Amino acid sequence: MGLWCMMSSPLVLGFNMSNRDDMDRVWPTITNREAIAVDHAWAGSPGGLHKTLSSTENSTDNAIEVWAKPLPQNQVAILVLNTGVGNVSVSVSLAADVPGGAGQAQSYRSVWEHKDVAIAGGKMALSLPPHGNVFAVLNGTASAAIRFANEETDLPWRVWGDDGSQGGVNVVGKVSLKTDEPQMSLSA
């Protein structure tokens, strides 16, 4: 659900909602007001993958992804995700590993735990289980301007007629962030 929130995407549930055990298991997650607030917050762009790190112990099979999303009021949401199959410890430098002037943040709000956590020395020392994550909102960042690691990506776009008609055409667009102004080219 954290990645869903970072992308500002609609939530799609893929299980039998009449199964009480399944609903009891996911209810606290899908009704998390702080997570939904991050999903609905808009400061000009959805979140994206910012950086990939290695864990401090077994870096051969454990990649750590840092996702970031600009939020209003000079806040940045981050999701630190363990994509590996083992427990990992990682130190996330707010100045080097998180965009948007996050190095100035003095605390973060843990979205899953609903509590504020102080930041010591500009680093978040985290322990993550396999496929686990820390979802946080950083307070007091300098800027919400975020650049992502993948500077050029193919994205699906739907182009509508000039008159607003529903007869659109699916295209693939290439978005390049290699200049100060985003450039977009479309091809059918």
Side-chain angles (χ1 to χ4, degrees), residues 138-171:
L138 300 172
N139 297 309
T141 59
S143 167
I146 293 181
R147 293 255 187 211
F148 299 107
N150 299 328
E151 291 185 347
E152 194 167 89
T153 306
D154 286 328
L155 299 171
W157 293 87
R158 182 129 178 110
V159 178
W160 302 99
D162 290 338
D163 60 356
S165 65
Q166 297 293 318
V169 59
N170 288 319
V171 296

Short mmCIF file of all heavy atoms in Angstrom, two decimals, residues 138-171:
data_model
loop_
_atom_site.label_atom_id
_atom_site.label_comp_id
_atom_site.label_asym_id
_atom_site.label_seq_id
_atom_site.Cartn_x
_atom_site.Cartn_y
_atom_site.Cartn_z
N LEU A 138 8.61 13.47 6.02
CA LEU A 138 9.66 14.31 6.60
C LEU A 138 9.14 15.73 6.76
O LEU A 138 8.56 16.30 5.85
CB LEU A 138 10.89 14.31 5.69
CG LEU A 138 11.52 12.94 5.44
CD1 LEU A 138 12.61 13.07 4.38
CD2 LEU A 138 12.09 12.37 6.71
N ASN A 139 9.38 16.29 7.93
CA ASN A 139 8.95 17.66 8.23
C ASN A 139 10.12 18.61 8.15
O ASN A 139 11.25 18.25 8.46
CB ASN A 139 8.34 17.72 9.63
CG ASN A 139 7.10 16.87 9.74
OD1 ASN A 139 6.19 16.97 8.93
ND2 ASN A 139 7.08 15.99 10.72
N GLY A 140 9.85 19.85 7.71
CA GLY A 140 10.88 20.88 7.70
C GLY A 140 11.90 20.74 6.60
O GLY A 140 13.06 21.11 6.78
N THR A 141 11.50 20.22 5.45
CA THR A 141 12.44 20.12 4.33
C THR A 141 12.51 21.48 3.63
O THR A 141 11.62 22.31 3.76
CB THR A 141 12.00 19.03 3.34
OG1 THR A 141 10.71 19.33 2.86
CG2 THR A 141 12.01 17.67 4.00
N ALA A 142 13.58 21.71 2.91
CA ALA A 142 13.81 23.01 2.29
C ALA A 142 12.97 23.22 1.04
O ALA A 142 12.58 24.32 0.73
CB ALA A 142 15.28 23.18 1.95
N SER A 143 12.70 22.16 0.31
CA SER A 143 12.05 22.30 -0.98
C SER A 143 11.36 21.01 -1.35
O SER A 143 11.78 19.94 -0.95
CB SER A 143 13.09 22.63 -2.05
OG SER A 143 12.54 22.49 -3.33
N ALA A 144 10.29 21.12 -2.11
CA ALA A 144 9.61 19.92 -2.58
C ALA A 144 10.04 19.56 -4.00
O ALA A 144 9.42 18.75 -4.64
CB ALA A 144 8.10 20.12 -2.51
N ALA A 145 11.09 20.20 -4.51
CA ALA A 145 11.56 19.90 -5.87
C ALA A 145 12.30 18.57 -5.84
O ALA A 145 13.28 18.41 -5.14
CB ALA A 145 12.49 21.00 -6.37
N ILE A 146 11.82 17.61 -6.60
CA ILE A 146 12.38 16.25 -6.56
C ILE A 146 12.75 15.80 -7.95
O ILE A 146 12.00 15.97 -8.90
CB ILE A 146 11.36 15.27 -5.94
CG1 ILE A 146 11.17 15.61 -4.47
CG2 ILE A 146 11.81 13.84 -6.10
CD1 ILE A 146 10.21 14.70 -3.76
N ARG A 147 13.93 15.24 -8.08
CA ARG A 147 14.37 14.58 -9.31
C ARG A 147 14.51 13.09 -9.00
O ARG A 147 14.91 12.72 -7.91
CB ARG A 147 15.73 15.12 -9.74
CG ARG A 147 15.67 16.54 -10.17
CD ARG A 147 15.76 16.56 -11.65
NE ARG A 147 15.86 17.92 -12.11
CZ ARG A 147 15.39 18.29 -13.26
NH1 ARG A 147 14.81 17.43 -14.03
NH2 ARG A 147 15.51 19.52 -13.65
N PHE A 148 14.21 12.26 -9.96
CA PHE A 148 14.24 10.84 -9.75
C PHE A 148 15.42 10.20 -10.48
O PHE A 148 15.95 10.74 -11.43
CB PHE A 148 12.92 10.21 -10.20
CG PHE A 148 11.77 10.75 -9.42
CD1 PHE A 148 10.88 11.63 -9.99
CD2 PHE A 148 11.61 10.44 -8.10
CE1 PHE A 148 9.82 12.15 -9.26
CE2 PHE A 148 10.58 10.94 -7.35
CZ PHE A 148 9.68 11.80 -7.93
N ALA A 149 15.80 9.00 -9.99
CA ALA A 149 16.97 8.31 -10.52
C ALA A 149 16.82 7.99 -12.00
O ALA A 149 17.77 8.10 -12.76
CB ALA A 149 17.21 7.04 -9.72
N ASN A 150 15.66 7.54 -12.42
CA ASN A 150 15.44 7.20 -13.82
C ASN A 150 15.11 8.48 -14.57
O ASN A 150 13.99 8.95 -14.52
CB ASN A 150 14.30 6.20 -13.96
CG ASN A 150 14.60 4.92 -13.24
OD1 ASN A 150 15.75 4.52 -13.16
ND2 ASN A 150 13.59 4.28 -12.71
N GLU A 151 16.08 9.03 -15.25
CA GLU A 151 15.88 10.33 -15.88
C GLU A 151 15.08 10.25 -17.17
O GLU A 151 14.57 11.23 -17.64
CB GLU A 151 17.23 10.99 -16.16
CG GLU A 151 17.94 11.41 -14.89
CD GLU A 151 19.19 12.18 -15.17
OE1 GLU A 151 19.67 12.19 -16.32
OE2 GLU A 151 19.72 12.78 -14.23
N GLU A 152 14.98 9.06 -17.76
CA GLU A 152 14.21 8.94 -18.99
C GLU A 152 13.43 7.63 -18.93
O GLU A 152 14.00 6.58 -18.71
CB GLU A 152 15.14 8.96 -20.19
CG GLU A 152 14.41 9.17 -21.50
CD GLU A 152 15.39 9.51 -22.61
OE1 GLU A 152 15.86 8.56 -23.24
OE2 GLU A 152 15.64 10.69 -22.82
N THR A 153 12.11 7.71 -19.10
CA THR A 153 11.25 6.56 -18.90
C THR A 153 10.15 6.55 -19.93
O THR A 153 9.61 7.60 -20.27
CB THR A 153 10.61 6.61 -17.49
OG1 THR A 153 11.63 6.76 -16.53
CG2 THR A 153 9.83 5.36 -17.20
N ASP A 154 9.79 5.37 -20.43
CA ASP A 154 8.62 5.24 -21.29
C ASP A 154 7.39 5.14 -20.41
O ASP A 154 7.33 4.32 -19.50
CB ASP A 154 8.71 3.97 -22.15
CG ASP A 154 9.71 4.12 -23.28
OD1 ASP A 154 9.88 5.25 -23.76
OD2 ASP A 154 10.32 3.11 -23.65
N LEU A 155 6.42 6.01 -20.67
CA LEU A 155 5.19 6.02 -19.90
C LEU A 155 4.00 5.92 -20.83
O LEU A 155 4.01 6.51 -21.90
CB LEU A 155 5.08 7.34 -19.11
CG LEU A 155 6.16 7.62 -18.09
CD1 LEU A 155 6.01 9.04 -17.56
CD2 LEU A 155 6.08 6.63 -16.96
N PRO A 156 2.95 5.19 -20.42
CA PRO A 156 1.74 5.16 -21.25
C PRO A 156 0.96 6.46 -21.08
O PRO A 156 0.85 6.98 -19.98
CB PRO A 156 0.97 3.97 -20.70
CG PRO A 156 1.43 3.85 -19.28
CD PRO A 156 2.86 4.34 -19.26
N TRP A 157 0.46 6.99 -22.16
CA TRP A 157 -0.34 8.21 -22.13
C TRP A 157 -1.61 7.96 -22.92
O TRP A 157 -1.63 7.16 -23.84
CB TRP A 157 0.41 9.38 -22.77
CG TRP A 157 1.60 9.82 -22.02
CD1 TRP A 157 2.87 9.31 -22.11
CD2 TRP A 157 1.67 10.82 -21.03
NE1 TRP A 157 3.71 9.94 -21.25
CE2 TRP A 157 2.99 10.89 -20.58
CE3 TRP A 157 0.72 11.68 -20.48
CZ2 TRP A 157 3.40 11.78 -19.60
CZ3 TRP A 157 1.15 12.57 -19.51
CH2 TRP A 157 2.46 12.61 -19.09
N ARG A 158 -2.68 8.65 -22.60
CA ARG A 158 -3.91 8.61 -23.40
C ARG A 158 -4.13 10.02 -23.90
O ARG A 158 -4.22 10.96 -23.12
CB ARG A 158 -5.08 8.15 -22.56
CG ARG A 158 -6.34 8.04 -23.37
CD ARG A 158 -6.96 6.68 -23.14
NE ARG A 158 -8.20 6.56 -23.87
CZ ARG A 158 -8.35 5.78 -24.91
NH1 ARG A 158 -7.35 5.08 -25.35
NH2 ARG A 158 -9.50 5.70 -25.51
N VAL A 159 -4.18 10.18 -25.20
CA VAL A 159 -4.34 11.48 -25.82
C VAL A 159 -5.78 11.62 -26.27
O VAL A 159 -6.30 10.76 -26.98
CB VAL A 159 -3.38 11.66 -27.02
CG1 VAL A 159 -3.59 13.00 -27.68
CG2 VAL A 159 -1.94 11.50 -26.55
N TRP A 160 -6.44 12.68 -25.84
CA TRP A 160 -7.84 12.92 -26.17
C TRP A 160 -7.93 13.90 -27.32
O TRP A 160 -7.03 14.71 -27.54
CB TRP A 160 -8.60 13.45 -24.96
CG TRP A 160 -8.53 12.52 -23.81
CD1 TRP A 160 -7.69 12.60 -22.74
CD2 TRP A 160 -9.27 11.32 -23.63
NE1 TRP A 160 -7.87 11.53 -21.91
CE2 TRP A 160 -8.84 10.73 -22.43
CE3 TRP A 160 -10.26 10.67 -24.37
CZ2 TRP A 160 -9.37 9.54 -21.95
CZ3 TRP A 160 -10.79 9.50 -23.88
CH2 TRP A 160 -10.34 8.95 -22.68
N GLY A 161 -9.05 13.88 -28.04
CA GLY A 161 -9.28 14.82 -29.13
C GLY A 161 -9.33 16.25 -28.63
O GLY A 161 -9.63 16.50 -27.46
N ASP A 162 -9.03 17.22 -29.49
CA ASP A 162 -9.06 18.63 -29.12
C ASP A 162 -10.42 19.07 -28.62
O ASP A 162 -10.53 20.00 -27.83
CB ASP A 162 -8.66 19.51 -30.31
CG ASP A 162 -7.19 19.36 -30.64
OD1 ASP A 162 -6.42 18.93 -29.76
OD2 ASP A 162 -6.82 19.66 -31.79
N ASP A 163 -11.47 18.40 -29.06
CA ASP A 163 -12.82 18.78 -28.65
C ASP A 163 -13.24 18.09 -27.36
O ASP A 163 -14.38 18.19 -26.93
CB ASP A 163 -13.82 18.49 -29.76
CG ASP A 163 -13.86 17.01 -30.13
OD1 ASP A 163 -13.05 16.22 -29.57
OD2 ASP A 163 -14.68 16.64 -30.98
N GLY A 164 -12.33 17.37 -26.72
CA GLY A 164 -12.63 16.68 -25.47
C GLY A 164 -13.37 15.37 -25.67
O GLY A 164 -13.85 14.78 -24.72
N SER A 165 -13.45 14.90 -26.92
CA SER A 165 -14.18 13.67 -27.20
C SER A 165 -13.47 12.48 -26.57
O SER A 165 -12.29 12.54 -26.25
CB SER A 165 -14.31 13.47 -28.71
OG SER A 165 -13.03 13.27 -29.27
N GLN A 166 -14.21 11.40 -26.38
CA GLN A 166 -13.67 10.20 -25.77
C GLN A 166 -12.87 9.34 -26.75
O GLN A 166 -12.37 8.31 -26.38
CB GLN A 166 -14.81 9.37 -25.18
CG GLN A 166 -15.56 10.09 -24.08
CD GLN A 166 -14.71 10.30 -22.85
OE1 GLN A 166 -13.99 9.41 -22.43
NE2 GLN A 166 -14.79 11.48 -22.26
N GLY A 167 -12.76 9.75 -27.99
CA GLY A 167 -12.08 8.95 -29.01
C GLY A 167 -10.58 9.12 -28.97
O GLY A 167 -9.98 9.54 -29.95
N GLY A 168 -9.97 8.81 -27.87
CA GLY A 168 -8.54 9.00 -27.73
C GLY A 168 -7.74 7.87 -28.34
O GLY A 168 -8.27 6.87 -28.80
N VAL A 169 -6.44 8.02 -28.35
CA VAL A 169 -5.54 7.00 -28.88
C VAL A 169 -4.47 6.73 -27.83
O VAL A 169 -3.99 7.65 -27.17
CB VAL A 169 -4.91 7.45 -30.23
CG1 VAL A 169 -4.13 8.73 -30.08
CG2 VAL A 169 -4.02 6.36 -30.80
N ASN A 170 -4.13 5.47 -27.62
CA ASN A 170 -3.08 5.12 -26.68
C ASN A 170 -1.72 5.32 -27.34
O ASN A 170 -1.51 4.91 -28.47
CB ASN A 170 -3.20 3.67 -26.23
CG ASN A 170 -4.37 3.46 -25.31
OD1 ASN A 170 -4.62 4.28 -24.44
ND2 ASN A 170 -5.09 2.37 -25.49
N VAL A 171 -0.82 5.95 -26.64
CA VAL A 171 0.52 6.19 -27.14
C VAL A 171 1.51 5.90 -26.03
O VAL A 171 1.15 5.76 -24.87
CB VAL A 171 0.71 7.65 -27.63
CG1 VAL A 171 -0.18 7.95 -28.81
CG2 VAL A 171 0.48 8.62 -26.51
#
